[in-house]
Amino acid sequence: MNTTIDQSPPGSLTFRDAVVGDIPAIMALLVDDMLGQSRDVVTDPPDPAYVTALAAIGDNPHDHLIVVERDGAVVGCAQLTMLHGLSRKGMTRGLIEGVRVASSVRSGGVGAALVAHLVEMAREAGCGMVQLTTDKRRERAHAFYERLGFEATHVGMKRMLD
Amino acid sequence: MNTTIDQSPPGSLTFRDAVVGDIPAIMALLVDDMLGQSRDVVTDPPDPAYVTALAAIGDNPHDHLIVVERDGAVVGCAQLTMLHGLSRKGMTRGLIEGVRVASSVRSGGVGAALVAHLVEMAREAGCGMVQLTTDKRRERAHAFYERLGFEATHVGMKRMLD
């Protein structure tokens, strides 16, 4: 799905699947984040691990890494993965991960438009629900998602593997 | 992966990918749950939606619905989905969903063995992390996962789609 919406704010935005050439811009978004700064490193050319990961996403028809452009520049990204499952009568769910908006355009409606785009993609794919997790420290993000109709119903847990 | 472990408790357990013939047993596990009772309905034959969902899981090489058997009976199930992503240097993560253990054998070590099996599958698939969400109301589950090395770092949010 490659769509352009025109509204003010946030201006004319284009959403499309990420390609290899977007990796530097995506990496810049990852490090332009209070929690991601220590987890990712921008190099030129990018670490091959990023290219491999993007290829794996592209190979999965249920997985989409979306970038949002404004005036030809990537100003945000997010991932949507369709999850099949038996519960709730075989309901498919859309998992939203890694919503990132450039700090220079934050609070301008880009994030809301990006999430709305993912929700519409999930709906078109037959999902009955969208879900996400957000770090407990991202208090502004919690309020942001609540404004978009999300409910904080779950505890998100993780375990690093050696 | 089809493995049998022998320990006491929980006795000899076999883990394998679910097949269509397991659907009635899995549905029984779904309704044998404080929150799932109102969400799923056991019928014979099962609603085709469950068969379709299991086929979609089977078609995805990154997705596994696992059942655990003891003495030839299915006593638990859980799903593991490998998620590719760019962040954390292209780290693959294992998403654990829908861990269910029959109430008749609960607190006997089956759940811990099941999660340990999924963690090992994730590790073998190259995951650097496993993650899950659990309903805020499942207080015993939170303590269970913390004993297994999970940290409650995130808020899990969802939005139902019309």
Side-chain angles (χ1 to χ4, degrees):
Chain A
M1 187 158 48
N2 186 333
T3 58
T4 300
I5 65 172
D6 197 353
Q7 59 183 67
S8 179
S12 178
L13 301 176
T14 301
F15 303 92
R16 59 175 174 76
D17 284 293
V19 297
V20 170
D22 295 316
I23 290 178
I26 294 170
M27 291 172 66
L29 290 168
L30 294 179
V31 299
D32 180 20
D33 175 75
M34 69 172 185
L35 301 180
Q37 287 169 2
S38 59
R39 303 194 299 215
D40 289 283
V41 183
V42 176
T43 58
D44 185 9
D47 188 302
Y50 295 99
V51 179
T52 301
L54 183 61
I57 294 167
D59 285 345
N60 183 347
H62 308 297
D63 208 358
H64 297 275
L65 180 59
I66 300 295
V67 291
V68 50
E69 286 182 321
R70 189 166 72 179
D71 300 329
V74 170
V75 292
C77 63
Q79 189 168 351
L80 175 68
T81 310
M82 312 312 168
L83 299 173
H84 299 102
L86 263 61
S87 68
R88 297 175 184 263
K89 298 189 180 122
M91 175 191 283
T92 302
R93 286 162 297 139
L95 176 70
I96 294 174
E97 288 269 349
V99 177
R100 298 288 179 273
V101 172
S103 55
S104 58
V105 304
R106 228 167 271 167
S107 305
V110 172
L114 177 56
V115 173
H117 181 75
L118 298 184
V119 167
E120 202 48 46
M121 286 180 70
R123 201 191 302 271
E124 288 183 11
C127 293
M129 182 199 294
V130 286
Q131 65 185 58
L132 56 85
T133 65
T134 173
D135 194 290
K136 281 182 176 176
R137 291 167 289 181
R138 299 190 195 272
E139 292 178 9
R140 290 182 61 189
H142 306 163
F144 166 78
Y145 288 116
E146 282 171 355
R147 287 196 301 274
L148 298 178
F150 286 80
E151 281 183 282
T153 53
H154 282 58
V155 177
M157 307 184 82
K158 71 182 181 196
R159 175 178 156 187
M160 302 304 291
L161 302 181
D162 299 325
Chain B
M1 189 158 48
N2 185 334
T3 57
T4 300
I5 64 170
D6 198 353
Q7 58 182 65
S8 178
S12 179
L13 301 175
T14 302
F15 302 93
R16 59 174 174 77
D17 283 294
V19 297
V20 171
D22 295 317
I23 290 178
I26 294 169
M27 291 172 65
L29 291 167
L30 294 179
V31 299
D32 179 21
D33 175 74
M34 68 171 186
L35 300 179
Q37 287 168 4
S38 60
R39 303 195 299 216
D40 289 283
V41 183
V42 176
T43 59
D44 184 10
D47 189 303
Y50 294 99
V51 180
T52 301
L54 182 60
I57 295 167
D59 284 345
N60 182 346
H62 308 298
D63 208 358
H64 297 277
L65 180 58
I66 299 295
V67 292
V68 50
E69 285 183 322
R70 189 166 68 178
D71 300 328
V74 170
V75 293
C77 64
Q79 189 168 350
L80 176 68
T81 310
M82 311 312 167
L83 300 173
H84 299 102
L86 263 60
S87 67
R88 296 176 184 265
K89 297 188 181 124
M91 178 193 282
T92 302
R93 286 162 298 139
L95 176 69
I96 294 174
E97 287 270 349
V99 177
R100 298 288 179 272
V101 172
S103 55
S104 59
V105 304
R106 227 167 273 166
S107 303
V110 172
L114 177 55
V115 173
H117 181 76
L118 298 184
V119 167
E120 202 48 45
M121 284 180 71
R123 199 190 303 269
E124 288 183 13
C127 294
M129 182 200 293
V130 286
Q131 63 184 60
L132 57 86
T133 66
T134 174
D135 194 291
K136 281 183 177 177
R137 293 167 288 182
R138 298 190 195 271
E139 292 178 9
R140 291 182 59 191
H142 307 163
F144 166 78
Y145 288 115
E146 281 172 354
R147 286 196 301 274
L148 298 179
F150 287 80
E151 281 184 279
T153 53
H154 282 58
V155 177
M157 307 186 82
K158 70 182 181 196
R159 175 178 157 187
M160 301 305 292
L161 302 182
D162 299 329

